[in-house]
Amino acid sequence: MFYAVISDVHSNLKALESVLKDLKNRNIQDIYFSGDAVGYGPEPNECIDLLRAECKVLLAGNHDWGVAGLTDIDFFNKNAGTAIEWTKKVISEENIEILRTFPVRFELKKEDITFVHSTPYEPEQWHYLQKFSDAEINFQYFETKLCFIGHSHRPVIIERSPSGEFIANINIMSIKPDNRYIINVGSVGQPRDGDPRASYAIIDKERVEIVRVSYDIEATQKKMSQAGLPLPLIQRLSFGM
Ligand code: ZN
């Protein structure tokens, strides 16, 4: 049974639609969302509606909490903060209430999976997991075999053996019976690993794969310009940085 995990859509409807189309072509229906529906991009309401229609579980990210007034705007850099203020002006009251209901952590015990947006350790503090030493700490803060994260917008699969050895891979990895995994699925709406294509993960019992999907970047950039969103946020989509 295949399922997919997507994250960091950031109001980029064109990217989200392309990923969902790719999933339809692969006949994958079970989709989990690891947070940051909004922020940065031009279509927050449309993205929340579509995510709610298509995903089985929806988590909150720091930008969702920023828009919902649960994370202080000072947490964000200038352009991110500007985009959050813009989002607050165009988002519906109903969608703000919906963002407030998204959890920051979710476990599927039967499937042996944990979802968070940032890190299993203090998920509401929005830490980043960047090094093996960060991973080592975080493996102690969830009990399931797999833990899916987003937040950094850089996909990576981290494997830990029972004796504490780490391996990382950015494309594909087989799932071994005794090992545990932290999987950053990358970002649908604003990749930052130098590849501008949308990123997400598909998983079955034996392996996890990071998938990249092209989308109409210029269409999103045009909508961002029309909305008056900050130029650096528009330009970075072309480079995936
Ligand atoms: Zn994000």
Side-chain angles (χ1 to χ4, degrees):
M1 185 63 193
F2 279 96
Y3 63 95
V5 183
I6 67 175
S7 188
D8 295 273
V9 168
H10 287 297
S11 303
N12 188 339
L13 184 65
K14 286 285 172 198
L16 177 59
E17 285 174 342
S18 295
V19 164
L20 293 173
K21 195 174 158 209
D22 190 60
L23 285 167
K24 230 162 226 132
N25 290 341
R26 294 168 188 267
N27 201 22
I28 297 174
Q29 279 122 27
D30 293 341
I31 309 168
Y32 300 93
F33 173 62
S34 220
D36 272 356
V38 300
Y40 296 128
E43 289 172 290
N45 290 306
E46 293 82 354
C47 286
I48 292 170
D49 292 347
L50 191 52
L51 285 165
R52 288 179 70 213
E54 300 289 337
C55 299
K56 297 183 85 158
V57 172
L58 298 107
L59 265 69
N62 48 314
H63 289 253
D64 302 325
W65 271 28
V67 169
L70 299 170
T71 288
D72 199 283
I73 200 88
D74 293 339
F75 175 86
F76 299 92
N77 68 41
K78 190 167 167 282
N79 289 328
T82 302
I84 285 171
E85 296 293 1
W86 177 87
T87 305
K88 282 180 168 180
K89 283 186 210 143
V90 300
I91 195 168
S92 69
E93 277 297 321
E94 190 201 351
N95 277 336
I96 288 193
E97 287 307 316
I98 285 162
L99 289 181
R100 289 197 176 122
T101 67
F102 292 174
V104 292
R105 180 191 181 110
F106 192 86
E107 259 177 54
L108 287 171
K109 284 231 167 67
K110 215 174 84 197
E111 282 85 358
D112 221 5
I113 309 168
T114 300
F115 301 95
V116 293
H117 179 67
S118 55
T119 51
Y121 171 66
E122 297 184 338
E124 70 290 342
Q125 295 297 318
W126 316 119
H127 301 298
Y128 285 92
L129 195 160
Q130 284 161 323
K131 306 181 293 264
F132 282 147
S133 56
D134 301 333
E136 179 65 53
I137 293 163
N138 276 283
F139 270 107
Q140 298 166 39
Y141 285 86
F142 68 98
E143 280 160 16
T144 55
K145 184 175 182 67
L146 306 183
C147 176
F148 291 97
I149 67 172
H151 195 40
S152 73
H153 299 203
R154 293 163 187 261
V156 64
I157 307 161
I158 302 170
E159 178 185 77
R160 186 189 190 280
S161 72
S163 57
E165 287 146 335
F166 287 95
I167 303 173
N169 189 299
I170 53 167
N171 303 116
I172 190 161
M173 204 184 263
S174 60
I175 297 174
K176 299 186 192 80
D178 296 330
N179 294 349
R180 295 171 71 223
Y181 299 83
I182 293 175
I183 299 146
N184 191 321
V185 301
S187 169
V188 170
Q190 195 206 70
R192 293 179 194 159
D193 62 337
D195 182 343
R197 295 174 298 167
S199 174
Y200 75 95
I202 53 178
I203 304 95
D204 68 9
K205 282 248 178 301
E206 273 128 44
R207 59 180 202 135
V208 51
E209 180 182 353
I210 303 295
V211 179
R212 305 307 288 251
V213 182
S214 300
Y215 73 95
D216 191 343
I217 294 173
E218 283 176 19
T220 295
Q221 290 173 318
K222 202 171 159 199
K223 285 202 170 125
M224 290 173 80
S225 292
Q226 286 162 353
L229 284 158
L231 188 59
L233 297 183
I234 299 170
Q235 290 170 331
R236 70 188 301 175
L237 294 180
S238 300
F239 308 103
M241 292 303 283

